[in-house]
Amino acid sequence: RRSPTLRFTLGSLQAWMSSHIATGILALLCALLHGAMSPRDTPGGHALWAMVVLLVTGAIGRYFYAYVPRAANGRELALAEVRARLGQVSAEWDRDQQRFSQKVRERLDAHLEASRWRGTFVGRVLALVGVNFGLRRLLRDLAAAGRADGIPDAQIATTLQLAGEAHRVALMAAHYEDLRAILATWRYVHRWVALLMVLLVIVHVVHALAYGSFFQEGGQG
């Protein structure tokens, strides 16, 4: 679905992602029932734990995906395309340069510049989480400041919504390579755990067929 060359238009990216998440959760529930909710020290039990790890890493990866700039077909945008989007958002700011809007913009710029990113996977993830928690606090403070200045709630909501979008795009542009590195590392881990799970399931099925009662009953019949 993300290929820049193949034209695959069956369903939207959001629909495919939702299907992927739903089938993953359903598969885990079925595996838990199959194992009587008591995984053992067997290939099947190890496959179940690998599926649990996949579910956890998948939930985390969904969070990462939201911060990597993408086109409608899921293709990752180039840095030039991200900067062009940032220019569009900045133009929307310029249409209404009221005092509150300017204050919000200045506080967002200061918040983004104050963030420090380290060149490791854990450091980048912690920086991303920290930036988002700080943004939420900042938007709450700005909303309270706007109400104290007598600004209508509708204008505050509109301004802060645009502020959140501007911060998101600015974060993508300022830390483009960091965000891509986070997603690349996550993909590497997620795919190898998925491959391990599939191999363990194959071993589990072969073992069950070889030593179970399915073929023995068939032979006796």
Side-chain angles (χ1 to χ4, degrees), residues 7-30:
R7 293 185 176 275
F8 183 83
T9 57
L10 180 60
S12 64
L13 177 66
Q14 182 178 2
W16 279 102
M17 179 65 75
S18 299
S19 300
H20 179 68
I21 295 172
T23 53
I25 295 174
L26 181 61
L28 177 61
L29 294 176
C30 291

Side-chain angles (χ1 to χ4, degrees), residues 78-218:
L79 181 56
E81 294 174 299
V82 178
R83 288 174 174 168
R85 175 59 184 146
L86 180 58
Q88 295 174 0
V89 176
S90 298
E92 294 181 27
W93 279 104
D94 294 336
R95 293 175 186 171
D96 187 16
Q97 282 294 336
Q98 297 181 3
R99 186 175 63 178
F100 179 65
S101 299
Q102 183 64 25
K103 179 180 179 180
V104 171
R105 187 172 186 175
E106 291 173 354
R107 292 284 299 275
L108 286 177
D109 291 341
H111 172 70
L112 189 59
E113 292 177 1
S115 62
R116 296 291 181 267
W117 292 60
R118 296 182 179 179
T120 63
F121 175 73
V122 175
R124 289 179 173 122
V125 171
L126 291 177
L128 178 60
V129 173
V131 165
N132 282 282
F133 274 111
L135 175 63
R136 292 176 184 176
R137 290 195 302 267
L138 176 59
L139 292 179
R140 287 197 299 265
D141 293 344
L142 288 170
R147 295 189 189 97
D149 292 339
I151 299 175
D153 289 340
Q155 183 179 344
I156 293 176
T158 301
T159 302
L160 295 185
Q161 181 180 1
L162 182 58
E165 182 181 359
H167 181 275
R168 183 190 187 89
V169 180
L171 178 67
M172 293 175 182
H175 297 282
Y176 180 78
E177 294 300 333
D178 290 311
L179 293 172
R180 285 174 56 88
I182 289 175
L183 193 58
T185 303
W186 171 82
R187 282 176 179 163
Y188 180 84
V189 174
H190 193 67
R191 287 171 178 173
W192 278 107
V193 174
L195 178 60
L196 174 63
M197 184 199 67
V198 171
L199 293 177
L200 288 171
V201 168
I202 293 174
V203 173
H204 172 63
V205 171
V206 171
H207 184 272
L209 292 177
Y211 298 100
S213 60
F214 180 78
F215 284 132
Q216 294 178 4
E217 293 177 355

